[in-house]
């Protein structure tokens, strides 16, 4: 293959195991899927991708034996991606069949190169009674240069469509069969972030937070092991949830309704590999002011559209999330629960989506369960740098407020008070690091005062007395 890596896939160091099912019967297809189940550990198979579907009388069809074989792969711990299909929107309406309609799989729609927008050929849902399909959208290419043309893929060394066979050559192709391996590659990178095959075979991740919640990889389950086929603690379930929750919505005709932000056109939106991987790797610490730029439009299609981080929230406490949106832009603030539904779909815990240019977004939320939530900032229109911060609510009449053990290297508290002054001090019996504390203006998300007045190993304190009401303020310890 290409040694200069001029043509490289999403996960170029991934090794492939090819199982041929074309020109086979339904029974042959099921046998091939079962072979993958049986040989997953032998060949280190973490992601299984499917660029095929079945039809009846020229229309997409369902087959229970195929669907159950696919569910068995998922129950085992394998991530499964499937093409939505290239049937567009036909007079019968829905254009999905097996295995695209299996609720637990990641069903992929195709976008054009420019926009990105769903292509006219990409099949649509609505899906099943349980889930909306497709789940996500990725680059699939088009059949006309006006919208970007095709993508380059490896040829099969079998039958050359255009002239005589050239060994180890490349070929231009378009379709959801191009989009789906793109998502499979992102899933492979997410699996690598978790710890790769070693994590799957030992149930021990390179990420401590996954070990703390008891996340796991391979199981001996199949579709007969009871329902549900997987749990919120399986690696493949976590990857599906984070992949979908961090997608970038491009279909603005589907409005937010509070029941979920996916639609039958593009699912949760256009895949965002960087945001999905960073959400697995990095946690947000309360009280930290984040500044980050998001972009939209064709000219900025390779720049970030989503910012996402995990954040640990405790049940029964109230938290405030504040997003300072740049003028000329519209960004959304969405908080996802630390668990998904039965089928691995993310669950929206709270959101703020004003859809007004330059309007700030705010979430006030009291969780009913403790855990690692997912906070996302999503570009809707315009470009620019946002400022974001989140705090735990408290009151000034408390003598002592405890910081939980998963707070990381900072923590912040929100108060709204008529008091005109404040004395802050952080205390711990075994101070070893160099601490600091500060007061943040909640309206502008800027520091009013800060102190780092003692060396490492000694307590820091801050006295802030502006002579007027503090109002809505935040106190941060770092």
């Amino acid at each position: 293959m290409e040694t200069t890596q001029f043509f490289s896939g999403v996960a170029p160091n991934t090794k492939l195991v090819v199982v041929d099912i074309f020109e086979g019967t339904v029974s042959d297809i099921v046998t091939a899927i079962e072979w993958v189940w049986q040989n997953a550990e032998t060949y280190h198979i973490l992601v299984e991708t499917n660029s095929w579907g079945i039809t009846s009388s020229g229309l997409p069809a369902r087959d229970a034996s195929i669907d159950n074989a696919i569910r068995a792969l998922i129950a085992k711990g394998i991530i499964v991606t499937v093409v939505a299909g290239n049937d567009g929107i036909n007079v019968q309406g829905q254009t999905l069949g097996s295995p695209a309609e299996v609720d637990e799989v990641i069903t992929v729609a195709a976008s054009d190169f420019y926009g990105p927008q769903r292509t006219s050929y990409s099949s649509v849902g609505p899906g099943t009674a349980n889930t909306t399909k497709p789940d996500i959208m990725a680059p699939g290419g088009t059949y006309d240069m006006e919208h970007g043309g095709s993508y380059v893929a490896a040829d099969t060394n079998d039958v050359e469509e255009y002239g005589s066979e050239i060994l180890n050559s490349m070929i231009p192709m378009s379709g959801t069969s191009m989009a789906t391996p793109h998502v499979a590659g992102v899933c492979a990178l997410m699996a690598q972030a978790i710890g790769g095959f070693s994590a799957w075979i030992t149930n021990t991740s390179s990420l401590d937070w996954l070990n703390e919640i008891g996340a796991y990889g391979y199981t001996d389950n199949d579709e007969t092991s009871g329902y549900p086929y997987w749990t919120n603690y399986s690696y493949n379930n976590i990857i599906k949830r984070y992949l979908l929750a961090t997608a970038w919505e491009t279909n603005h005709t589907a409005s937010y309704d509070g029941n979920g932000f996916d639609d039958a056109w593009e699912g949760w939106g256009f895949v965002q590999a960087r945001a999905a991987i960073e959400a697995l790797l990095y946690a947000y610490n309360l009280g930290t002011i984040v500044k980050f730029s998001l972009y939209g439009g064709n000219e900025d299609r390779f720049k970030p559209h989503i910012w996402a981080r995990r954040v640990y929230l405790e049940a029964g406490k109230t938290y405030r999330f504040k997003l300072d949106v740049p003028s000329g832009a519209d960004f959304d603030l969405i908080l996802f629960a630390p668990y998904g539904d039965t089928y691995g779909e993310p669950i929206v815990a709270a959101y703020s989506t004003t859809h007004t240019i330059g309007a700030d977004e705010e979430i006030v939320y009291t969780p009913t369960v403790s855990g690692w939530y997912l906070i996302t900032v999503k570009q809707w229109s315009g470009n620019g740098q946002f400022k974001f911060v989140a705090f735990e609510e408290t009151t000034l009449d408390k003598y002592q407020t405890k910081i939980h053990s998963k707070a990381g290297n900072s923590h912040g508290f929100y108060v709204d008070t008529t008091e005109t002054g404040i004395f802050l001090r952080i205390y711990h019996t075994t101070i070893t690091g160099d601490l600091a504390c500060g007061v943040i203006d909640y309206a502008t998300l800027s520091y009013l005062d800060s102190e780092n007045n003692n060396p490492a190993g000694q307590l820091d304190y801050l006295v802030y007395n502006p002579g007027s009401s503090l109002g809505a303020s935040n106190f941060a310890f770092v």
Side-chain angles (χ1 to χ4, degrees), residues 311 313 321 333-337 347-350 363 365 373-375:
V311 58
L313 305 180
F321 302 81
L333 188 61
I334 305 172
L335 179 70
F336 291 92
I347 294 175
V348 176
I363 293 173
Y365 180 68
Y373 289 72
L374 179 63
I375 185 68

Side-chain angles (χ1 to χ4, degrees), residues 101-441:
E101 277 198 331
V102 174
D103 293 307
E104 296 88 350
V105 306
I106 301 170
T107 305
V108 185
S111 75
D112 59 20
F113 186 76
Y114 300 120
Q117 294 292 325
R118 174 194 156 273
T119 62
S120 60
Y121 65 75
S122 188
S123 296
V124 298
T128 72
N130 304 313
T131 58
T132 300
K133 294 290 183 176
D135 292 299
I136 201 165
M137 184 172 67
T142 61
Y143 297 97
D144 62 278
M145 291 306 297
E146 180 183 354
H147 295 92
S150 300
Y151 288 92
V152 174
D155 201 355
T156 62
N157 286 344
D158 185 8
V159 178
E160 190 71 39
E161 185 175 357
Y162 307 106
S164 59
E165 178 63 38
I166 302 174
L167 294 179
N168 301 328
S169 62
M170 313 297 283
I171 186 172
M173 296 189 72
S174 298
T176 52
S177 289
M178 298 294 99
T180 303
H182 184 111
V183 171
V186 175
C187 291
L189 295 177
M190 296 175 74
Q192 182 184 35
I194 286 177
F197 175 73
S198 175
W200 258 256
I201 201 70
T202 64
N203 296 327
T204 303
S205 172
S206 56
L207 304 179
D208 290 340
W209 74 275
L210 290 176
N211 298 328
E212 290 171 4
I213 66 173
Y216 60 88
Y218 287 133
T219 74
D220 290 327
N221 294 338
D222 58 27
E223 78 280 5
T224 64
S225 299
Y227 195 84
Y229 305 112
W230 57 352
T231 75
N232 284 293
Y233 302 105
S234 62
Y235 293 148
N236 59 346
N237 184 301
I238 293 167
I239 285 176
K240 180 182 178 180
R241 283 193 283 121
Y242 275 57
L243 180 79
L244 303 189
T246 56
W248 175 42
E249 186 167 13
T250 66
N251 178 23
H252 290 186
T253 62
S255 61
Y256 292 124
D257 59 11
N259 296 320
F261 299 159
D262 54 338
D263 60 64
W265 195 260
E266 61 174 1
W268 290 85
F270 190 72
V271 63
Q272 298 293 290
R274 171 177 174 166
I277 295 169
E278 287 185 346
L280 287 173
L281 293 177
Y282 304 127
Y284 170 78
N285 297 313
L286 297 178
T288 303
I289 297 176
V290 173
K291 298 179 181 180
F292 193 79
S293 295
L294 297 179
Y295 302 86
N298 176 50
E299 67 278 5
D300 294 317
R301 60 185 176 273
F302 297 124
K303 294 181 180 179
H305 312 296
I306 306 292
W307 176 87
R309 292 292 187 274
R310 290 176 292 106
V311 58
Y312 192 85
L313 305 180
E314 293 184 278
K317 293 185 176 181
T318 299
Y319 297 87
R320 284 182 178 263
F321 302 81
K322 176 70 177 294
L323 178 66
D324 183 15
V325 179
S327 60
D330 181 7
F331 296 167
D332 292 337
L333 188 61
I334 305 172
L335 179 70
F336 291 92
Y339 48 82
D341 67 12
T342 301
Y343 309 101
E345 300 279 323
I347 294 175
V348 176
Y351 65 96
S352 179
T353 56
T354 304
H355 290 323
T356 300
I357 298 297
D360 293 346
E361 306 289 356
E362 182 184 42
I363 293 173
V364 181
Y365 180 68
T366 304
T368 57
V369 297
S370 299
W372 286 106
Y373 289 72
L374 179 63
I375 185 68
T376 63
V377 178
K378 301 196 174 192
Q379 187 272 356
W380 182 264
S381 66
N383 305 327
Q385 184 185 77
F386 68 80
K387 289 195 293 185
F388 167 80
V389 74
F391 299 96
E392 174 190 332
E393 284 196 354
T394 188
T395 57
L396 285 177
D397 58 355
K398 286 186 177 180
Y399 172 73
Q400 178 179 353
T401 300
K402 293 183 179 180
I403 299 175
H404 64 78
S405 60
K406 294 182 175 60
N409 57 12
S410 72
H411 199 75
F413 296 97
Y414 169 91
V415 297
D416 192 351
T417 179
T418 58
E419 297 288 341
T420 59
I422 186 69
F423 172 76
L424 298 179
R425 191 174 191 184
I426 186 170
Y427 171 76
H428 195 277
T429 55
T430 57
I431 296 294
T432 57
D434 188 7
L435 303 177
C437 50
V439 180
I440 299 172
D441 183 353

Side-chain angles (χ1 to χ4, degrees), residues 20-38:
D20 186 5
I21 63 167
F22 290 100
E23 300 181 4
T25 64
V26 166
S27 177
D28 293 332
I29 294 172
V30 171
T31 299
I33 297 171
E34 290 174 344
W35 183 93
V36 175
W37 192 100
Q38 295 162 359

